[in-house]
Amino acid sequence: MKFGKRIKEQIQESLPEWRDKFLCYKELKNLISSSESIFVGLLNAEIEKFNAFFVEQEEDFIIHHKELQYRIQRLVEKCEHNEEMFREEISEMRKDIVNFHGEMVLLVNYSNINYTGLAKILKKYDKRRGSGLRSPFMQKVVGQPFFKTDLVSRLVREWETTMEAVFPATMAVVEAEGYERSAVVTSSGEGIFRNTVAALSTMREMRRGSSTYSAFSLPPLNLPDSDLVFRSVHLSSPIPIP
């Protein structure tokens, strides 16, 4: 699949309020024949856009992470000797926990797709213009805040561990129906759950080794526990995996 089509699909699969935060790939492609200063100017503006959005989301996630941890700890203390009460009340938090996890996965994908888009559009530029812009520019990109996903990836893994610990052992098999129906389906029919599955599929595809691997390729995906999402959707969700 051509990258222009892929990023268009990713934008449509993303949360509505995120859609104008992605790389303007088509606009950059149309500027390849313009002066380098105009092309680079838009690239820099795009990076500023990525950084501002990513940092804002990351800060919100840290706050939400602490709030959810506090709510769970209070619940544990309240239901210390009553496991049945704990399971009933933690199920009411499932929507918040699952949506939080899904949004973090989407942010990691946001970083990946925009990084990959920059690398690809610069490759096109160098090929068309006989330039050597890609290498020095991408060296700058890897130092940008939006590229540094270690913290968010760690939170994703932590909350997958939490979901497996605080929900019943059958959560991913039997009770995931509540995950899909009550937690993620929106009035528009595009919920975080479906978007998360699509994001994971894209990340794995982009990070899979191939004959075109280069110094600017992303490393293999390091979210192995995210198979929880795939198990849940296969067994309980009527929404087809993209």
Side-chain angles (χ1 to χ4, degrees):
M1 181 188 300
K2 290 185 177 296
F3 186 79
K5 183 177 180 181
R6 175 182 291 167
I7 194 169
K8 183 177 180 180
E9 289 183 355
Q10 280 294 297
I11 291 171
Q12 291 304 311
E13 291 282 359
S14 187
L15 302 176
E17 62 270 26
W18 289 28
R19 290 176 183 169
D20 62 346
K21 310 301 182 184
F22 283 83
L23 180 71
C24 296
Y25 187 81
K26 184 176 181 179
E27 288 83 346
L28 283 164
K29 189 175 179 181
N30 290 337
L31 287 179
I32 287 178
S33 298
S34 67
S35 69
E36 183 172 306
S37 62
I38 294 175
F39 182 75
V40 172
L42 181 54
L43 285 175
N44 287 327
E46 291 293 276
I47 289 176
E48 290 179 7
K49 177 179 72 177
F50 304 155
N51 286 339
F53 178 72
F54 187 91
V55 169
E56 180 182 15
Q57 293 298 311
E58 189 176 58
E59 290 174 350
D60 287 346
F61 289 161
I62 292 170
I63 293 170
H64 199 180
H65 167 72
K66 292 178 179 178
E67 290 175 345
L68 283 176
Q69 281 188 320
Y70 178 74
R71 289 172 61 189
I72 291 174
Q73 182 58 40
R74 289 292 300 272
L75 185 58
V76 168
E77 293 170 357
K78 175 183 176 182
C79 307
E80 184 177 3
H81 303 296
N82 191 329
E83 183 177 350
E84 183 177 352
M85 180 188 295
F86 176 80
R87 289 192 174 187
E88 288 177 357
E89 296 201 21
I90 195 67
S91 67
E92 297 177 4
M93 293 178 60
R94 183 176 296 133
K95 176 180 178 179
D96 289 343
I97 293 172
V98 166
N99 283 356
F100 178 50
H101 169 266
E103 287 179 2
M104 289 191 294
V105 172
L106 292 178
L107 189 64
V108 175
N109 182 59
Y110 171 84
S111 171
N112 290 348
I113 199 79
N114 287 310
Y115 170 86
T116 302
L118 288 171
K120 286 186 176 294
I121 199 65
L122 282 161
K123 182 178 180 180
K124 284 182 178 292
Y125 183 88
D126 282 359
K127 184 177 181 179
R128 184 87 57 85
R129 301 291 296 272
S131 176
L133 182 61
R134 186 188 191 205
S135 182
F137 198 92
M138 292 307 294
Q139 289 299 320
K140 181 178 76 171
V141 168
V142 298
Q144 299 299 314
F146 87 89
F147 182 75
K148 299 176 181 178
T149 61
D150 290 352
L151 173 60
V152 178
S153 296
R154 177 173 60 80
L155 291 178
V156 168
R157 291 190 292 269
E158 285 184 12
W159 280 100
E160 285 171 352
T161 300
T162 297
M163 285 192 287
E164 291 180 335
V166 302
F167 295 155
T170 55
M171 185 273 290
V173 180
V174 179
E175 296 191 8
E177 183 174 357
Y179 184 138
E180 179 270 319
R181 288 183 180 173
S182 68
V184 298
V185 176
T186 65
S187 58
S188 66
E190 294 180 352
I192 290 175
F193 192 81
R194 175 173 180 165
N195 297 342
T196 302
V197 172
L200 285 165
S201 297
T202 298
M203 284 191 286
R204 286 178 173 175
E205 182 178 350
M206 288 193 301
R207 289 167 175 259
R208 186 181 297 125
S210 72
S211 59
T212 59
Y213 186 85
S214 75
F216 305 111
S217 298
L218 290 162
L221 182 63
N222 189 28
L223 294 176
D225 294 334
S226 294
D227 284 337
L228 173 65
V229 176
F230 286 99
R231 294 200 303 270
S232 299
V233 75
H234 271 303
L235 293 167
S236 67
S237 175
I239 299 174
I241 298 177

